Amino acid sequence: NRHSIILCSSMNPSTLNELLEGISSRLANVSETPLLDAQVMIAHILDKPRTWVLAHTESHLTPQETERLEFSLSQIENGIPLPYVLGSWEFFGRQFLVTPDVLIPRPETELLVEKALSWLFLRTKNHPAINILIADVGCGSGCIGITLAANFGPIRVLASDISFSALRVASQNAFIHSVHSRLDFVRCHLLPSISQKFDLICANLPYIPTHTLHSLEVHKKEPTLALDGGPDGLKFIKPFLSQSSNSIKANGLILLEIESSQGSHVLKLARAFFPKASIELIQDLAHHDRLISIQQGK
């Protein structure tokens, strides 16, 4: 049966190497990285690192593990993204729970975290970090705010999202990474209505133009709420910049992830809302516009 993993016999099951070849062949039409996905799947089934799988290619799965693997493969072949099948995905060296209620963390967003951490270390080099307050706007799985809290001492993070289901996932991730005591979760549109201002505001908002989203593979596979940025992709970015101008401290920093075609538009908007700030358009490793950095003045 071409839709099942073939075992040589009940006495001589396929080795991991043979399984990797078979799985990657099956995934070739639904994945850009079929061999890597096959390795990740087997590692997940075995609860081992991927490096262990690569070092033990002559090992075998038990019948129960094979059954679980076949079920996972059938889900992927039916269009469910691998991270949702696995129930978790790596971001900045940590595993985060993911469900269809949250966006799958992307490597591109790690650039925002890197810039945020660099700024935090520089900001607190000669000052205690105890009073640093961060906003993670549109937090989704919580990967940005949780990663910052896990990598940088005594800071507090307020994570907001319009989706209650997303906040529930983010809260679970905060407990898993032992930073729940330093995160507060708020269900609201963009920034919460509080008098306190933030030292750092990070945001990865829905920014894909609607017509573009409908042509992408990700459409209807990940939550539209977390992807659709309206006709021009700026539906949430404009009000976010407006709110942030009243919510950032003097010398504070705003980091906003953007769609690669929006650089000049968002740069113009940022300059209108922050005429005295130092504003920078930052490219990712693929040389695509990816991040707007707004360093507020004194």
Side-chain angles (χ1 to χ4, degrees):
N1 186 331
R2 67 187 179 87
H3 292 300
S4 62
I5 297 171
I6 299 174
L7 302 181
C8 297
S9 74
S10 59
M11 297 298 293
N12 185 24
S14 301
T15 64
L16 295 189
N17 191 53
E18 291 166 337
L19 285 175
L20 287 169
E21 291 180 3
I23 295 168
S24 59
S25 177
R26 283 178 63 175
L27 296 180
N29 293 328
V30 295
S31 171
E32 295 180 358
T33 55
L35 181 56
L36 175 61
D37 290 357
Q39 295 166 358
V40 171
M41 289 180 70
I42 291 179
H44 177 76
I45 294 294
L46 292 172
D47 195 23
K48 299 282 189 182
R50 190 168 64 91
T51 51
W52 187 96
V53 173
L54 297 177
H56 296 81
T57 53
E58 296 306 310
S59 299
H60 307 276
L61 298 184
T62 66
Q64 293 81 6
E65 290 167 341
T66 301
E67 187 176 342
R68 288 173 56 205
L69 181 59
E70 178 60 39
F71 177 70
S72 296
L73 270 170
S74 67
Q75 288 183 295
I76 292 172
E77 289 174 328
N78 285 328
I80 300 175
L82 176 60
Y84 293 151
V85 173
L86 301 180
S88 66
W89 202 241
E90 183 178 321
F91 180 81
F92 217 81
R94 296 176 182 272
Q95 288 291 325
F96 285 84
L97 295 180
V98 291
T99 74
D101 294 311
V102 300
L103 200 65
I104 297 166
R106 261 65 171 188
E108 293 87 351
T109 305
E110 293 186 356
L111 175 63
L112 187 155
V113 172
E114 289 171 1
K115 295 296 181 183
L117 287 173
S118 295
W119 183 84
L120 283 168
F121 282 112
L122 188 63
R123 173 73 179 267
T124 60
K125 186 176 181 181
N126 299 314
H127 306 281
I130 193 69
N131 293 319
I132 293 289
L133 182 62
I134 298 172
D136 178 8
V137 183
C139 67
S141 66
C143 61
I144 293 174
I146 290 169
T147 301
L148 294 178
N151 283 276
F152 190 86
I155 57 174
R156 289 207 65 82
V157 179
L158 191 151
S160 69
D161 204 290
I162 195 65
S163 167
F164 178 78
S165 298
L167 289 172
R168 186 165 50 199
V169 174
S171 179
Q172 288 177 287
N173 279 320
F175 273 93
I176 288 170
H177 294 290
S178 303
V179 295
H180 55 279
S181 64
R182 291 189 282 126
L183 271 88
D184 299 299
F185 296 95
V186 178
R187 184 175 182 268
C188 66
H189 178 64
L190 303 176
L191 282 158
S193 298
I194 60 174
S195 58
Q196 195 168 7
K197 295 190 175 185
F198 298 93
D199 297 274
L200 171 63
I201 300 176
C202 301
N204 182 13
L205 303 171
Y207 55 61
I208 302 176
T210 304
H211 69 278
T212 302
L213 177 61
H214 289 172
S215 67
L216 298 178
E217 180 71 20
V218 72
H219 182 49
K220 293 187 177 179
K221 291 187 176 182
E222 295 184 53
T224 299
L225 185 66
L227 294 166
D228 193 341
D232 59 0
L234 303 175
K235 178 181 178 181
F236 302 103
I237 289 176
K238 291 177 183 176
F240 166 76
L241 291 172
S242 176
Q243 289 184 22
S244 297
S245 65
N246 297 314
S247 300
I248 192 74
K249 289 182 181 178
N251 291 323
L253 178 69
I254 299 167
L255 293 172
L256 172 65
E257 183 171 323
I258 61 170
E259 202 262 342
S260 59
S261 67
Q262 296 170 339
S264 59
H265 297 291
V266 182
L267 201 57
K268 191 177 295 183
L269 282 172
R271 285 171 176 158
F273 283 109
F274 299 89
K276 297 181 180 179
S278 174
I279 302 172
E280 184 182 4
L281 177 60
I282 301 170
Q283 294 186 327
D284 58 23
L285 293 176
H287 305 293
H288 297 139
D289 293 344
R290 184 60 58 197
L291 201 61
I292 291 285
S293 168
I294 304 169
Q295 175 67 65
Q296 186 70 306
K298 294 183 179 180

